[in-house]
Amino acid sequence: MTDAQRFRDLYEECHPRVLAYATGLVGRQVGEDITSETFTVAWRRMRDIPTPPLPWLLGVARNLTRELRRRDGRQYALADREAQRLITSGAQVEDVAAGVAERAVALEALAGLSAADRELLTLVA
């Protein structure tokens, strides 16, 4: 049996259970992503998968979920630290409308240039 056929059989047999497990941990949308990543790992490590494969696949899904939660936790912590820094520094948050207006003026000025000048300016910037 080729690796492709073995993977196809593995996928057909285990996909619903891995998806149900991942969905139970992180919800439907992210669970689908975790399941896809789990089977990507399985494809790369086809020769390392034990029999029966389901416990191994569930372990991979669990580890991917842990990585996702750690990564999200770091991002939230970073955002929180930045928010606290802005609050304690008394820095003024930039006005979004002013930024949009400035961008519109810059785009209009770029449109007025020749194609060669516009390309040169955008490459330098």
Side-chain angles (χ1 to χ4, degrees):
M1 179 183 295
T2 66
D3 280 349
Q5 182 60 43
R6 184 168 178 238
F7 180 78
R8 192 174 305 117
D9 293 346
L10 171 83
Y11 184 86
E12 289 173 1
E13 175 187 341
C14 297
H15 181 268
R17 292 186 211 158
V18 173
L19 178 60
Y21 176 73
T23 299
L25 292 174
V26 291
R28 183 68 181 185
Q29 185 173 1
V30 178
E32 289 175 355
D33 293 342
I34 293 292
T35 302
S36 294
E37 289 181 50
T38 299
F39 282 98
T40 300
V41 170
W43 173 252
R44 284 191 304 241
R45 299 192 52 203
M46 236 4 248
R47 298 183 192 273
D48 299 334
I49 299 174
T51 303
L54 185 60
W56 186 86
L57 290 167
L58 295 178
V60 171
R62 183 189 66 238
N63 291 340
L64 290 169
T65 301
R66 284 182 185 168
E67 286 178 33
L68 174 69
R69 287 182 175 153
R70 273 195 302 268
R71 187 173 54 237
D72 285 352
R74 285 191 302 266
Q75 289 175 344
Y76 289 133
L78 178 62
D80 184 51
R81 281 194 306 271
E82 182 62 16
Q84 292 302 318
R85 185 188 68 77
L86 287 173
I87 290 169
T88 57
S89 72
Q92 295 296 322
V93 177
E94 186 177 314
D95 182 16
V96 174
V100 170
E102 288 176 20
R103 184 172 190 273
V105 169
L107 289 174
E108 188 177 320
L110 276 174
L113 297 174
S114 69
D117 288 342
R118 185 172 42 248
E119 181 178 4
L120 178 64
L121 186 58
T122 55
L123 284 172
V124 169

